């Protein structure tokens, strides 16, 4: 079934938007024009007008069953429930530094936010920690994140391969392990544990 272009995007100059099916069963849309959710066959802004302007350019969205919706955007990341929006950086005293472009959620509930210059923030309940090159990352610029079923977390670096965080250590893979010097757009895990990586040029690798 073909659906017409969402009315909220009419008159916009081809905005970059993504759709996401949340763990709650709700359908969301996010990107250049901010986040929306699908209610009664209509796209409705997720936030009020003031917050919606601040969240234009949202780059990442993830949710776990029974939990809040997590969002990443330039200079902010937050959690959202029907009760409202919580700016995680402000509530935890994190100084905004750059854009959040990737989110992964572990089964434990820990939320990982990947940035383009400040490494990774891991938020767990009311505390957080930051991971950077000094902690084992190959680069502080992260293009995508994926939480694996075995509890590890995979991070794709911008043109510097991919890293796997397991048992407290980062294991990095790059051109020396057969990967090209290209950005990784997507990481996917199959039920048997095989990891697939899609590069920016469309080529695919597996681990």
């Amino acid at each position: 079934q073909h659906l017409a272009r969402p009315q909220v995007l009419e008159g916009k100059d081809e905005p970059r938007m993504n759709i996401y099916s949340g763990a709650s069963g709700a359908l969301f849309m996010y990107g250049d024009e901010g986040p929306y959710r699908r209610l009664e066959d209509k796209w409705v802004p997720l936030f009020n007008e003031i917050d919606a302007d601040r969240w234009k350019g949202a780059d990442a969205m993830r949710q776990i069953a029974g939990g809040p919706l997590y969002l990443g955007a330039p200079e902010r990341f937050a959690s959202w429930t029907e009760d409202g929006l919580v700016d995680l950086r402000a509530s935890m005293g994190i100084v905004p530094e750059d854009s959040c472009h990737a989110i992964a959620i572990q089964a434990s509930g820990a939320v990982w936010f990947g940035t383009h210059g400040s490494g990774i923030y891991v938020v767990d309940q009311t505390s957080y920690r930051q991971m950077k090159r000094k902690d084992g990352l190959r680069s502080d610029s992260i293009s995508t994140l994926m939480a694996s079923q075995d509890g590890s977390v995979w991070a794709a670096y911008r043109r510097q391969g991919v890293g796997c965080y397991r048992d407290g250590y980062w294991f990095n893979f790059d051109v020396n392990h057969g990967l090209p010097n290209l950005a990784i757009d997507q990481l996917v895990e199959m039920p048997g544990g095989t990891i697939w990586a899609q590069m920016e040029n469309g080529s695919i690798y597996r681990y």
Side-chain angles (χ1 to χ4, degrees), residues 58-196:
D59 277 322
M61 180 181 285
R62 287 292 182 271
Q63 184 182 39
I64 55 175
L69 182 73
Y70 293 95
L71 302 103
E75 297 189 356
R76 57 180 55 88
F77 45 82
S79 64
W80 177 86
T81 66
E82 295 290 350
D83 294 328
L85 181 69
V86 177
D87 187 328
L88 295 176
R89 287 188 170 186
S91 65
M92 296 183 181
I94 302 174
V95 178
E97 294 177 348
D98 57 25
S99 300
C100 171
H101 291 274
I103 301 175
I105 304 178
Q106 292 180 285
S108 64
V111 187
W112 294 54
F113 296 89
T115 73
H116 276 190
S118 299
I120 295 171
Y121 288 97
V122 183
V123 178
D124 191 356
Q125 307 249 333
T126 58
S127 63
Y128 77 91
R129 69 183 188 275
Q130 186 179 19
M131 295 183 181
K132 302 188 75 173
R133 287 176 61 99
K134 63 181 179 60
D135 302 301
L137 293 177
R138 178 62 51 82
S139 168
D140 288 335
S141 291
I142 309 298
S143 61
T144 189
L145 289 167
M146 186 197 70
S148 178
Q149 56 195 12
D150 66 2
S152 59
V153 175
W154 290 75
Y157 306 119
R158 299 178 73 189
R159 300 183 181 277
Q160 295 191 45
V162 64
C164 176
Y165 186 77
R166 181 183 293 125
D167 299 326
Y169 296 94
W170 281 100
F171 301 90
N172 295 300
F173 307 90
D174 53 23
V175 292
N176 296 316
H177 302 89
L179 286 173
N181 190 25
L182 296 170
I184 296 176
D185 287 338
Q186 190 174 15
L187 292 169
V188 175
E189 182 181 30
M190 298 299 289
T194 301
I195 307 297
W196 293 81

